[in-house]
Amino acid sequence: MQIPFEIALGWRYTRAGRAMRRNGFISFISGASMLGIALGVAALIIVLSVMNGFQKEVRDRMLSVVSHIEIFAPNGQPMQDVAGAMAQAKQHPEVVGAAPFVAAQALLARGEDMQGVLVRGIDPAHEGEVTDLAATNTEVLQALQPGSFAIVLGVELAKNLGVAAGDTVTLIAPSGQVTPAGVVPRMKQMQVAGVFDSGHYEYDANMAMLHYQDAQKVFRLEGPTGVRLKLQDLHQAPRVAKELASQLQEFLYLRDWTQQNKTWFAAVQVEKRMMFIILTLIVAVAAFNLVSTLVMTVQDKRSDIAILRTLGASPASIMGIFVVQGAMVGVLGTLGGLALGLLVACNIDVIVPAIEQALGASFLPKDIYLISRMPSEPLASDIVPIALIALLLAFVATLYPSWRASRVNPAEALRYE
């Protein structure tokens, strides 16, 4: 099949400066534009992949403690029919696990040290069905037996209070006990059964766990305050929560994991969008360098354009030649950027340690940051728009110079030839 002459000439003009060693400056600008598009596309892919990796890493560590969906009664009251709510929730095909819990706030004291904590009463027998934390800390959580009043602390919380397994702490409930001498806070001596490490500083520094029956006695509750659910697909949590809200017979509130950390996820999405816009401007600058490249090419090829016009080429064909030339630069630059970006994003766990070793520096110190390694997760939902935007910008940049080429007057161009 014969290739249209517009494509053949456009490709010839793209590589003419290198092949014929003529018009080297034009060829240099064309190459710089191609390199700029490639670096811009690669930077976009790498940055968004790293941000996706950080988001996934933090989300996974957070979900090792937080369940996908929580069901609880209004005003923090205990649920009337916990077993019935668990049975109804498990009938949903997405629900794979359910466990009761008690949630409350209290003070934890050790000598003169005192700290506010989030107390979570759990059922060790079923906690593994709803969180990954129970799977990684099985032996510690199994020590929480009803009536033992044992407590498990987050690793950072234990450090702040200076306690270890076997030590005694005092749990102070917020609601007081009325006595003839006045309102006296309820206090309970508890033995530290161990510590857990979720990898998420917020929970490791502020959470304490005990058996839910012991929590009911300490806070004077008639039953668990809610039920925690685990789903097959965590991304379906908002949809499943809405469906369960209409299926549960008792009037209950449901909250999925995206609502529990709504501000954090919203901030990450805003940062991701802003980085996308900023780095897209780099691609736009490189793409619009094609304007100067094509303008100089048109000026250099005025006599060629005039000869083509006298041979019968239409203005649309002339315009198509230079559109092809600019599009070739955009396509090659985009493909090069995709290859470079994916290569770095998929091997960043090897590249970053090598750079750290070469420079003798640590980009993510373990004692400061939650994550000590650089994560990366390239997603097609990011890569495809990046490639399409780069190609679109390159195409738009070719329109004006190509239109100017189609307006060249053959008589004027050949007057001094």
Side-chain angles (χ1 to χ4, degrees):
M1 184 177 65
Q2 187 175 4
I3 300 176
F5 80 93
E6 294 91 348
I7 297 177
L9 275 179
W11 173 244
R12 182 180 178 184
Y13 285 168
T14 302
R15 59 187 181 88
R18 301 178 185 85
M20 301 175 60
R21 309 184 69 86
R22 294 178 59 246
N23 307 318
F25 184 64
I26 298 176
S27 177
F28 171 77
I29 296 179
S30 178
S33 302
M34 188 183 303
L35 181 62
I37 293 173
L39 292 178
V41 170
L44 262 172
I45 292 174
I46 295 168
V47 170
L48 295 184
S49 297
V50 170
M51 293 188 71
N52 290 334
F54 271 108
Q55 184 177 0
K56 181 178 182 297
E57 194 79 16
V58 174
R59 183 193 66 201
D60 290 346
R61 296 192 181 195
M62 178 186 67
L63 289 178
S64 68
V65 183
V66 178
S67 58
H68 295 167
I69 296 177
E70 288 183 359
I71 305 174
F72 53 94
N75 301 321
Q77 298 298 317
M79 292 179 61
Q80 300 298 321
D81 186 11
V82 174
M86 291 174 61
Q88 292 178 31
K90 284 185 175 180
Q91 293 177 1
H92 195 285
E94 284 286 338
V95 178
V96 296
F101 76 98
V102 173
Q105 293 183 346
L107 289 175
L108 202 62
R110 165 72 172 177
E112 296 182 355
D113 296 325
M114 186 176 296
Q115 182 172 337
V117 295
L118 173 64
V119 178
R120 177 177 292 169
I122 64 170
D123 184 357
H126 295 90
E127 186 66 14
E129 298 180 13
V130 294
T131 62
D132 296 332
L133 182 65
T136 56
N137 297 269
T138 305
E139 295 182 2
V140 175
L141 297 184
Q142 288 300 326
L144 301 179
Q145 298 298 324
S148 65
F149 289 97
I151 190 169
V152 175
L153 308 180
V155 61
E156 297 297 333
L157 177 60
K159 288 180 182 178
N160 294 338
L161 294 175
V163 298
D167 292 341
T168 301
V169 294
T170 303
L171 186 68
I172 306 173
S175 56
Q177 181 177 346
V178 180
T179 66
V183 179
V184 178
R186 293 198 311 276
M187 296 183 289
K188 180 65 179 177
Q189 292 263 334
M190 311 191 81
Q191 187 177 32
V192 178
V195 298
F196 67 86
D197 185 1
S198 67
H200 197 291
Y201 181 83
E202 180 181 354
Y203 296 108
D204 290 340
N206 297 284
M207 182 172 286
M209 295 185 182
L210 61 156
H211 197 280
Y212 78 98
Q213 293 181 10
D214 293 345
Q216 290 174 203
K217 294 177 183 178
V218 171
F219 296 101
R220 291 189 175 182
L221 299 173
E222 297 178 359
T225 57
V227 174
R228 308 170 72 207
L229 305 178
K230 185 175 183 178
L231 308 180
Q232 291 182 359
D233 184 1
L234 62 91
H235 299 290
Q236 300 298 321
R239 177 184 64 82
V240 175
K242 291 180 181 179
E243 294 176 357
L244 288 175
S246 60
Q247 295 174 6
L248 295 176
Q249 297 178 359
E250 189 179 352
F251 179 69
L252 300 168
Y253 289 128
L254 285 90
R255 178 176 59 187
D256 63 80
W257 63 274
T258 60
Q259 293 173 314
Q260 295 183 51
N261 297 271
K262 190 174 183 179
T263 54
W264 185 82
F265 285 104
V268 171
Q269 291 302 319
V270 170
E271 291 176 2
K272 188 176 177 181
R273 281 194 291 267
M274 292 305 299
M275 290 301 297
F276 185 89
I277 293 172
I278 293 170
L279 293 175
T280 300
L281 294 178
I282 299 176
V283 181
V285 170
F288 281 96
N289 278 340
L290 289 173
V291 176
S292 58
T293 302
L294 292 178
V295 165
M296 288 188 291
T297 302
V298 169
Q299 190 66 27
D300 183 67
K301 302 295 184 181
R302 284 174 62 88
S303 59
D304 294 2
I305 295 170
I307 293 172
L308 289 172
R309 289 295 309 277
T310 57
L311 292 175
S314 65
S317 297
I318 300 299
M319 186 174 180
I321 292 171
F322 293 96
V323 168
V324 168
Q325 181 182 357
M328 288 291 182
V329 174
V331 169
L332 294 176
T334 301
L335 292 178
L338 286 173
L340 177 61
L342 290 174
L343 179 65
V344 174
C346 294
N347 296 279
I348 203 165
D349 55 338
V350 178
I351 296 173
V352 172
I355 296 175
E356 290 178 337
Q357 186 176 3
L359 299 179
S362 178
F363 298 151
L364 297 172
K366 294 181 180 180
D367 56 341
I368 299 177
Y369 295 99
L370 171 67
I371 301 170
S372 58
R373 65 179 184 86
M374 189 78 72
S376 178
E377 187 184 15
L379 297 177
S381 58
D382 293 329
I383 295 172
V384 172
I386 290 171
L388 293 178
I389 289 174
L391 292 174
L392 178 63
L393 289 174
F395 175 76
V396 171
T398 65
L399 294 181
Y400 175 73
S402 302
W403 177 79
R404 292 284 297 181
S406 68
R407 305 289 294 178
V408 170
N409 188 332
E412 291 290 333
L414 296 173
R415 175 176 296 178
Y416 301 105
E417 292 294 331

